[in-house]
């Protein structure tokens, strides 16, 4: 498997890169770059009746899912390894090893799918690929080099895990992990540059003539916003997939000790996913705001036009993510006997979460029957209308994040009794912090959202985010002081968790996968009929923007393919450990 | 195995729910198709497309069908290929063309080179054509557009299409572009644009297919003229035939232009 | 007496449902759209499920009556009744859902479609991304002159717009009831307060026929005002719209 992936990549490199170099030389001889080609429908080959857009779409999506997974896992494997080194708790080291084992089988699939994406681009969109390749020749070359570095680092990191243990050798291993992550992240940054160039082209003039400054093309307007968003989302995604893996192992575990191990693994994976999930909406807002700043037309296409309903689907999915993550935490309270003290608050958290979620979900354009239209006297709803716009949604998501953090704090406290003298004062401060924070978020949302002009409307989201961050960081820091030297109510029973909670982990992973597919569609879809916005037009028969249902169907098919491949990857990881001893099959060897 | 199948079923159900919600839970708005390219790329055109472009210009921007129609205001053009040899030998022919292509271009640019008997300007004894130069004035066809019209005329009269698609000419503006025009505020330009003088005489200039308008403001009021412009067949002046004046001026003109024209006409006393 | 947990859950959901209906339809006199209520209830159900099942013991208590109904031999008559009623109820529900009604099909339109980047208005091709209200800068430079311009805009509004959009700019003019979609309510925070002046200029000058396809142009009766109003009149009306409602046009620069 691994080897075949490498061979395919080598083959691609052998075919593509000399071609690219030749192309670059040709351009260099000519002295100037050509403008972006103006294409007609005839410039797009039809091959074996395959719908070219769907082919590229599905390969790109599958590649991205796997890439997100194999980039994220080494990041938190590295962190877990460090934690293990610091605490000298071998369980962490074992878990890190099990995570990376899951990732390494996915790695070759990532490479294969990347190759398929490249092939389908060259076959179906040759002129687009050519144009991009003239601009990104160098970065494509470094991409190939880095890919080999990453592969080498990954193989040594994984296969050398048990060899490089203890003392100096562990440091060497850790350094390898760092190289692996640096290479992987740089790979992602390069690939991001190619796609953000298509959204916010830079380094080219109005006709698409390349200035020759590769860095300008890479460092285009939307590059960093996408980098941040993808980096954070990848970690959350990696966590959720590993969580699903642990959940499955938990459900099929033999005996309590195995169950305890996979419960613990699932908990940690979910913890990583939630930590990355909390800042994700902010990264998303930053990206959207930057898209607006770059081009209002892209911005309105994104938020106001045909894609407006997509954000309602997104709201359903993100709501699902938050609710299932919370549900998992609540179920996990059953692991400790002290949790009874906190369970009575859960229903209030649930009410706030669901309430905030309903606000978040309320669409700007309501679907009304004619009777309702008459009763309301128009499509405007005086109560629900104001909930449909950004300030209300910003407020709602901040409240959701705060209460998810609260769920997590309750979970952490569940089995502990504080012993410091100032417990009550500390708790009072925390309550005050939360109350003031929520009041501030509501004030900012309502006052600035509805009673001041747009500049402040957008600006108000920043103090809201800051409030949320301060409250979360402040109260968790305070918590760690309050519970310093605390005693446990009873030993924590890992594995004492209902099977339903494992399904919450599956739901998290599936929703995350599907959501990424959907958002990938809109990120790419807002370009509409442009390959490279305002520079290179898409003249193919598939230049039209599909309806949301069509996109959702493609994403669903891709998601099912991905899930099937993930199951295959997990299965293959397990098969390597199975052994069959066929009696009487082999010749007896004379002693 | 049972656990495995349950998990698979759960996953499929979840994905199915999301897909179903996206298809049936929210309205399916079909985005507008990509806008048409604003410029026609002549280089990429097939001869058929070029002829079709000529036909569109003939019926639209060129305003040819205003006169070259069944009503007999101008000769029909379906038999050009057959009568050409005769035409070129005709002593009244003042042009220099030797084949159909050259003849057609010539008659589009210099309509008076040959005037078919009975179709000349009144009083010119068929020496002067009432047809304007299509490359100039209000019609203003580009060189490539003239070529396209010639291709269409060759094709529709059964002759071989000899016109070559110009490749070095500037790309022709597409139809939609041509129709998006600025509102005209000068009555003279407006009359020229809608080729009123082709039929109506004003201060000694123009044809006599329709009533003379030199003193129309004295005899007709604004409301009548408005009606006459918007619904020309509603009330035909004595001695003139119905169905001669285009009845879609109301759609072609901006509302402001209609007012400009009415101001001008009512002031003619 | 302790209420069984299953009944509790059902009661909570019924409470949420009737709560919404009571608050919106009765107290606030603003009906809640049935499509939205259906989704609200879906997520409320999810929330109730979560709260009632995170604990193993409580879950057992919740499902006990259902389990008993299906498994307990002594409940056989009940089981038979329930098993007969459930499919019948499902069938009746489907029948009611699928039955054709006299209600006209839903019209869905995007109220704020994305504008094109350029548009041909007053015979000029204007870049909507960069277009600005030429009078806006006077607001600071010469407030008195600005008041005058707003006044002129108000006069244009009263002569042309108020018949549909209303003298209070609330979309309830004398003709409003005859129109579907109803005229826009400018007082609403979701309309002009969210838009730039160039967007309003585009919408006013090109009217219903200028809407892109996804906004279903054939049902908007907004006239193409560039045929009736002068360019500066349109900009003055826009000044008036913002001035009267107290909204600020959306802009991306601090003032």
């Amino acid at each position: 498997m691994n080897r075949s992936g490498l061979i395919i990549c080598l083959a691609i490199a052998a075919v593509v890169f000399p071609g690219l170099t030749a192309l670059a030389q040709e351009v260099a001889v000519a002295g100037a770059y050509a403008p972006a080609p103006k294409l007609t429908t005839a410039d797009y080959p039809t091959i074996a009746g395959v719908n070219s857009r769907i082919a590229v779409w599905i390969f790109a999506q599958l590649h991205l899912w796997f890439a997100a997974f194999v980039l994220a896992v080494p990041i938190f494997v590295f962190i877990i390894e460090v934690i293990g080194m610091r605490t000298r708790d071998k369980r962490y080291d074992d878990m890190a090893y099990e995570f990376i084992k899951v990732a390494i089988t996915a790695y070759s699939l990532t490479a294969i799918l990347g190759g398929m994406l490249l092939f389908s681009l060259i076959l179906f969109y040759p002129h687009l690929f050519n144009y991009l390749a003239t601009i990104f020749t160098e970065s494509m070359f470094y991409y190939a080099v880095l890919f080999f570095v990453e592969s080498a680092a990954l193989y040594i990191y994984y296969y050398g895990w048990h060899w490089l243990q203890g003392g100096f050798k562990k440091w060497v291993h850790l350094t390898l992990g760092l190289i692996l992550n640096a290479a992987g992240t740089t790979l992602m940054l390069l690939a991001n540059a190619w796609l953000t160039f298509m959204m916010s082209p830079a380094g080219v003039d109005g006709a698409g003539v390349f200035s020759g400054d590769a860095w300008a093309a890479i460092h285009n307007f939307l590059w960093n916003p996408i980098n941040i968003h993808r980096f954070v989302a990848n970690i959350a995604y990696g966590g959720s997939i590993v969580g699903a893996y642990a959940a499955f192992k938990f459900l099929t575990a033999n005996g309590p000790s195995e169950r305890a191990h996979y419960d613990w693994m699932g908990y940690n994976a979910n913890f990583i996913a939630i930590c990355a999930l909390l800042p994700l909406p902010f990264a998303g807002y930053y990206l959207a705001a930057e898209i607006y700043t770059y081009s209002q037309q892209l911005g309105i296409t994104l938020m106001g036009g045909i894609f407006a309903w997509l954000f309602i689907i997104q709201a359903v999915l993100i709501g699902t993510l938050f609710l299932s993550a919370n549900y998992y935490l609540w179920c996990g309270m059953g692991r400790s006997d002290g949790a009874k003290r906190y369970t009575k608050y859960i229903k209030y958290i649930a009410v706030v979460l669901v309430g905030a979620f309903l606000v978040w979900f309320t669409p700007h354009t309501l679907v009304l029957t004619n009777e309702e239209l008459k009763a309301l006297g128009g499509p405007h709803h005086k109560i629900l209308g104001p909930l449909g716009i950004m300030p209300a949604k910003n407020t709602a998501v901040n409240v959701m994040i705060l209460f998810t953090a609260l769920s997590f704090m309750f979970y952490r406290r569940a089995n502990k009794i504080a012993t410091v003298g100032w417990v009550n004062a500390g708790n009072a401060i925390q309550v005050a912090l939360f109350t003031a924070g929520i009041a501030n978020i509501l004030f900012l949302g309502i006052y600035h959202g509805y009673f001041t002009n747009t500049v402040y409307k957008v600006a108000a989201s920043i103090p809201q985010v800051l409030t949320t961050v301060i409250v979360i960081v402040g109260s968790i820091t305070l918590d760690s002081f309050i519970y310093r030297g605390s005693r446990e109510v009873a030993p924590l029973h890992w594995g004492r968790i209902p099977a339903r909670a494992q399904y919450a982990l599956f739901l998290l992973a599936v929703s995350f996968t599907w959501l990424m597919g959907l958002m990938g569609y809109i990120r790419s879809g807002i370009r509409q009929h442009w390959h490279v916005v305002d520079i290179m037009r898409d003249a193919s028969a598939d230049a039209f923007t599909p309806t949301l249902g069509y996109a959702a169907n493609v994403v669903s098919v891709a998601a099912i393919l991905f899930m099937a491949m993930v199951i295959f990857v997990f299965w293959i990881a397990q098969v390597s450990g199975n052994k069959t001893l066929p009696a009487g099959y082999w010749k007896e060897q004379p002693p | 195995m049972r656990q495995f199948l349950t998990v698979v079923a759960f996953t499929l159900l979840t994905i199915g729910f999301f897909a179903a919600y996206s298809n049936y839970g929210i309205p399916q708005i079909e985005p507008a198709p990509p806008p048409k390219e604003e410029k026609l790329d002549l280089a990429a055109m097939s001869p058929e497309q070029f002829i079709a472009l000529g036909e569109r210009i003939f019926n639209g921007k060129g305003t040819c069908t205003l006169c070259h129609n069944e009503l007999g205001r101008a000769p029909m053009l379906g038999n050009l290929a057959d009568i050409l040899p005769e035409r070129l030998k005709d002593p009244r022919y003042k042009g220099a063309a030797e084949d159909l292509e050259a003849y057609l271009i010539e008659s589009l640019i210099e309509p008076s080179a040959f005037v078919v008997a009975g179709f000349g300007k009144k009083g010119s004894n068929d020496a002067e054509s009432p047809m304007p130069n299509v490359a100039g004035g209000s019609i203003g066809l580009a060189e490539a557009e003239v070529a396209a019209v010639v291709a269409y005329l060759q094709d529709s009269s059964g002759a071989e299409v000899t016109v070559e698609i110009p490749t070095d000419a500037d790309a022709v503006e597409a139809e939609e572009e041509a129709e998006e025009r600025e509102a005209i505020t000068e009555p003279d330009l407006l009359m020229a644009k809608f080729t009123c003088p082709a039929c109506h005489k004003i201060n000694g200039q123009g044809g006599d297919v329709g009533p003379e308008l030199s003193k129309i403001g004295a005899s007709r009021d604004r409301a009548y003229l408005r009606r006459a412009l918007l619904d020309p067949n509603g009330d035909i002046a004595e001695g003139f035939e119905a169905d001669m004046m285009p009845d879609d001026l109301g759609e072609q003109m901006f509302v402001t232009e209609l007012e400009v024209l009415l101001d001008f006409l009512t002031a003619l006393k | 007496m302790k209420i069984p947990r299953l009944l509790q859950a059902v009661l909570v959901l019924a409470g949420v449902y009737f709560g919404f209906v009571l608050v919106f339809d009765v107290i606030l006199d603003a009906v809640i759209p049935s499509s939205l209520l259906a989704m609200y209830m879906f997520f409320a159900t999810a929330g109730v499920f979560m709260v009632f099942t995170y604990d193993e013991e409580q879950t057992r208590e919740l499902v006990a009556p259902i389990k008993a109904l299906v498994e307990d031999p002594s409940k056989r008559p009940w089981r038979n009744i329930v098993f007969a009623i459930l499919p019948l109820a499902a069938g009746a529900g489907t029948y009611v859902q699928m039955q054709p009604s006299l209600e006209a099909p839903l019209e869905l339109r995007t109220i704020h479609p994305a504008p094109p980047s350029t548009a041909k208005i007053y015979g000029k091709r204007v870049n909507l991304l960069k277009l600005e209200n030429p009078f806006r800068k006077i607001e600071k430079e010469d407030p008195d002159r600005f008041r005058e311009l707003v006044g002129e805009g108000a006069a244009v509004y009263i002569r042309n717009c108020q018949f549909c959009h209303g003298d209070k700019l609330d979309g309830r003019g004398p003709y409003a009831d005859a129109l579907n979609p109803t005229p826009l309510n400018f007082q609403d925070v979701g309309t002009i307060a969210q838009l730039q002046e160039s967007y309003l200029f585009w919408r006013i000058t090109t009217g219903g026929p200028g809407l892109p396809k996804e906004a279903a142009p054939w049902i908007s009766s907004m006239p193409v005002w560039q045929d009736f109003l002068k360019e500066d009149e349109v900009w003055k009306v826009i000044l008036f719209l913002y001035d009267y409602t107290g909204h600020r046009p959306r802009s991306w620069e601090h003032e």
Side-chain angles (χ1 to χ4, degrees), chain C residues 101-225:
Chain C
S101 77
L102 295 174
E103 173 96 341
L106 291 184
E107 294 268 18
L108 290 163
R109 53 194 298 274
T110 311
I111 293 178
H112 293 155
S117 55
T118 64
K120 202 128 187 184
I121 301 174
Y122 289 110
K124 288 170 294 193
R125 184 155 284 282
V126 292
N127 183 343
L128 288 173
L129 306 181
K130 294 197 181 115
L131 189 64
E132 279 176 9
N133 191 336
F135 300 126
R136 183 56 68 188
K137 57 179 185 294
I138 299 175
E139 188 173 13
K140 282 254 176 63
E141 291 167 4
D142 186 355
D144 291 337
R145 172 81 188 115
F146 187 75
R147 298 304 326 154
E148 254 172 57
L149 290 168
V150 170
E152 287 166 26
V156 175
Y157 182 87
I158 294 301
R159 275 202 304 273
N160 298 287
C161 317
Q162 62 99 7
F163 305 105
C164 299
H165 289 283
D167 53 356
K168 293 194 166 54
L169 280 61
D170 55 1
R172 302 210 168 191
Y175 295 165
D177 285 343
L179 303 175
N180 179 13
T182 49
L184 214 58
N185 169 2
F186 302 129
Q187 303 279 8
D188 172 17
V189 290
T191 61
I192 59 172
Q194 299 291 319
L195 300 167
Q196 286 175 288
E197 290 183 294
S198 64
Y199 191 96
L200 269 71
F201 185 73
W202 171 59
R203 288 299 345 114
I204 294 170
T205 49
T206 61
L211 281 167
K213 186 173 171 256
E214 71 261 23
W218 50 88
I219 60 169
S220 166
S221 40
M222 177 81 170
V224 180
W225 286 105

Side-chain angles (χ1 to χ4, degrees), chain A residues 47-306:
Chain A
I47 301 164
V50 176
N51 181 315
S52 25
R53 172 163 69 178
I54 291 182
V56 171
W57 187 348
I58 287 186
F59 282 130
Q61 194 57 59
L62 287 173
H63 175 59
L64 185 109
W65 276 322
F66 272 107
F69 177 63
V70 297
L71 283 178
V73 171
I75 294 173
F76 52 75
V77 161
F78 178 76
I79 296 169
I80 294 170
E81 196 185 359
V82 173
I83 295 174
M85 251 175 101
R86 300 261 321 191
T87 58
R88 293 294 157 96
D89 184 343
K90 192 168 181 306
R91 279 189 309 168
Y92 284 104
D93 204 65
D94 292 345
M95 181 168 69
Y97 180 68
E98 191 158 0
F99 280 1
I100 201 83
K101 192 167 112 189
V102 175
I104 198 151
T105 15
Y107 186 75
S108 51
L109 262 182
T110 313
I112 292 172
L113 287 163
M116 294 303 286
L117 171 61
L118 185 60
F119 272 137
S120 55
L121 255 184
I122 294 174
L123 286 178
F124 292 115
Y125 294 89
H127 297 278
L128 171 64
F129 184 80
N130 244 337
Y131 178 64
L132 292 177
T134 42
I135 292 170
F136 292 108
T137 315
E138 277 184 327
S139 59
M140 284 178 174
F141 174 73
Y142 290 124
Y143 189 88
V145 172
L146 271 170
F147 182 72
F148 286 111
V149 173
E150 193 198 11
S151 307
L154 179 67
Y155 287 131
I156 306 172
Y157 188 66
Y158 171 68
Y159 289 106
W161 193 286
H162 300 298
W163 165 51
L164 294 169
Q165 281 287 356
F168 177 70
K169 279 183 172 173
K170 192 71 189 164
W171 279 106
V172 172
H173 192 249
L174 211 59
T175 313
L176 272 170
L178 200 62
I179 294 171
L180 167 64
N181 278 308
T185 307
T186 318
L187 280 176
M188 182 191 75
L189 300 186
L190 282 177
N192 287 353
W194 306 337
L195 73 93
T196 49
F197 173 82
M198 293 166 75
M199 299 169 76
S200 56
V204 290
D205 68 8
V209 178
F210 180 42
S211 67
D213 183 357
W215 173 243
I218 290 172
H219 189 236
N220 58 63
F221 198 88
L222 294 176
W223 188 46
N224 273 322
I226 287 266
N227 286 343
I228 293 170
H229 192 61
R230 280 199 163 169
F231 184 75
V232 178
N234 282 355
I235 293 178
Y237 185 57
S240 77
I241 293 287
V242 173
Y245 170 77
F248 185 72
K249 294 293 248 183
F250 176 90
L251 289 177
T252 53
N254 302 316
S257 71
E258 207 177 315
R259 208 164 24 239
H261 171 72
Y262 286 111
D263 183 21
W264 186 72
M265 184 167 169
Y267 166 77
N268 279 293
N270 184 55
F271 174 71
I272 291 167
I274 292 181
C275 283
L277 187 61
L278 294 187
L280 203 50
F282 305 139
Y285 280 134
Y286 172 59
L287 173 60
E290 290 298 289
I291 290 177
Y292 251 108
T293 316
Y294 174 71
S295 155
Q296 307 232 358
Q297 201 201 0
L298 279 189
I300 294 184
T301 307
L302 177 76
M303 303 295 293
I306 36 179

